[in-house]
Amino acid sequence: MRPFTYVRPDSAQAAIEAFAAAGPGARYIAGGTSLYDLMKLDIERPEHLIDVTAIRGLDGIETDGDRLRFEALAPMSAVAINRVVLRDYPVLAESLAKAASQQLRNMATVGGNLLQRTRCLYFRNGAGGVSAGMTYPCNKREPGSGCAAIGGLDRGQAVLGQSRSCTAVSPGDWPVALVALDAYVEILGRQGTRSLPVADLYRLPGGTPHLEFALTPGEIITAIVVPKAAAGRQSTYHKIRDRESYAFALASAAVALDMAGDTVRQARIALGGVATRPWRAVAAEAQLAGKQLTRETAIIAGRAALTGAKAGDHNGFKIELAARTVADALMIAAQRKPA
Ligand code: SF4
């Protein structure tokens, strides 16, 4: 084990000051379900841990008014069973309930979940890094070292948004649902507060896959805000995985529909499990606008969602799987009672 210091401030401002004082080796920690895991694998090597779980007043759930607001430290399990979320935004509740195990959902926070790192096999199994004589090069772990997944075992890798430097899939479920609903995050830093669409929180890998999130050092996500929309009730999060419980998505789709009878006024569609960041499927949404939703139009929209997809050696199946996942999600959402 590598040594590290540990502090537990009781306010967000104190946490930010502690981070600034600690310097570049600092990391925030909340539920710890991801960071401790990566520390045990020797992939994350923080020198200073700033535990944010003692910050007061940062775990609320607000559902009144024209938005839902989830404070960052709210446990995933609490949001998943919130009465309003379950009734009016099944896409949100399902994206949380289908992630990880109940024990992990009790510990993990909705803010921390947004910053989960990839499950790429080579990223996780190459602990120690190339310079330490380990087998697998990984540009995300060690910039400039190469990418073992390209030309390697790439069954789980991305077919959308990948680059020559990295093909790792963005692993989350909850962020996919949030992107479909145009959610944004509230952020606190030394310069004050700002907000950012969840979609913009995630960077494409390009030539710098180690830069994953659009946060500056020391910034904290304090809340997630979802503007209320009539489409929330006719929504679903459909997740296809190797086993039905406790597995990451091979393909997933978050869908919310605003319909007039059988006709789609507006569809919101985002993909998970197939892209390097939560992927809004704009072409599929345009394809459906003003059309009657049938199995045939759903499949056409599903294929449109994969526009531009490019397979590696072993993950070509994901393209059709994801298209059908979108189509199935559309049909499931359409069965739900509108607002
Ligand atoms: Fe690393 Fe990305 Fe390549 Fe995986 S795909 S080995 S995370 S650079």
Side-chain angles (χ1 to χ4, degrees):
M1 191 183 84
R2 294 173 190 270
F4 56 87
T5 66
Y6 174 87
V7 291
R8 199 164 179 249
D10 61 5
S11 75
Q13 207 55 50
I16 287 165
E17 294 310 322
F19 193 104
R27 291 296 306 270
Y28 292 121
I29 188 156
T33 54
S34 183
L35 185 57
Y36 284 140
D37 189 24
L38 291 170
M39 286 169 68
K40 284 191 268 182
L41 289 170
D42 203 28
I43 293 166
E44 290 275 7
R45 300 167 187 172
E47 292 164 20
H48 309 282
L49 281 188
I50 296 146
D51 184 339
V52 296
T53 55
I55 296 177
R56 291 182 299 270
L58 210 62
D59 61 356
I61 300 173
E62 298 163 24
T63 57
D64 293 338
D66 59 359
R67 61 186 195 162
L68 306 171
R69 187 169 179 275
F70 309 110
E71 289 181 327
L73 294 179
M76 288 170 66
S77 53
V79 175
I81 60 166
N82 177 274
R83 189 178 52 80
V84 175
V85 174
L86 275 170
R87 185 191 64 203
D88 294 344
Y89 296 87
V91 62
L92 294 177
E94 290 168 5
S95 75
L96 291 164
K98 291 180 180 181
S101 63
Q102 183 64 44
Q103 291 93 332
L104 287 168
R105 293 192 294 271
N106 289 342
M107 287 298 296
T109 64
V110 290
N113 181 273
L114 297 181
L115 304 178
Q116 198 180 172
R117 303 194 71 191
T118 185
R119 306 297 295 190
C120 171
L121 293 175
Y122 298 103
F123 172 78
R124 291 177 63 81
N125 289 349
V130 174
S131 59
M134 298 303 291
T135 316
Y136 303 120
C138 172
N139 288 322
K140 194 181 281 295
R141 203 169 5 84
E142 195 163 328
S145 62
C147 172
I150 297 174
L153 295 174
D154 62 0
R155 177 178 182 268
Q157 301 300 113
V159 294
L160 288 164
Q162 66 273 52
S163 71
R164 284 192 208 154
S165 299
C166 181
T167 62
V169 160
S170 180
D173 299 299
W174 168 239
V176 177
L178 293 171
V179 164
L181 295 182
D182 296 317
Y184 60 91
V185 285
E186 294 175 357
I187 295 167
L188 180 66
R190 281 194 117 188
Q191 312 305 323
T193 57
R194 67 182 177 113
S195 60
L196 183 72
V198 173
D200 295 342
L201 182 61
Y202 300 92
R203 295 172 182 266
L204 284 170
T208 54
H210 59 292
L211 302 175
E212 296 171 299
F213 307 106
L215 293 174
T216 57
E219 284 188 321
I220 295 181
I221 294 174
T222 52
I224 299 159
V225 178
V226 182
K228 284 193 177 172
R233 283 215 181 169
Q234 282 191 297
S235 73
T236 191
Y237 185 74
H238 193 43
K239 180 174 178 180
I240 306 299
R241 40 193 163 167
D242 280 326
R243 54 176 190 266
E244 193 44 39
S245 176
Y246 197 30
F248 288 84
L250 285 170
S252 69
V255 162
L257 294 173
D258 179 6
M259 299 191 63
D262 290 342
T263 302
V264 178
R265 270 197 290 251
Q266 189 197 18
R268 299 162 181 229
I269 305 170
L271 301 176
V274 291
T276 52
R277 67 179 185 188
W279 197 264
R280 188 75 182 252
V282 194
E285 295 175 356
Q287 180 70 44
L288 280 171
K291 300 237 173 68
Q292 209 181 12
L293 184 63
T294 63
R295 184 72 203 163
E296 289 67 38
T297 55
I299 289 275
I300 291 168
R303 300 228 163 98
L306 275 292
T307 302
K310 225 169 99 193
D313 293 336
H314 309 285
N315 61 355
F317 74 97
K318 279 189 165 193
I319 296 176
E320 183 63 13
L321 179 68
R324 287 175 180 271
T325 303
V326 170
D328 287 350
L330 287 165
M331 301 312 287
I332 293 167
Q335 297 304 314
R336 296 198 162 154
K337 202 166 170 298

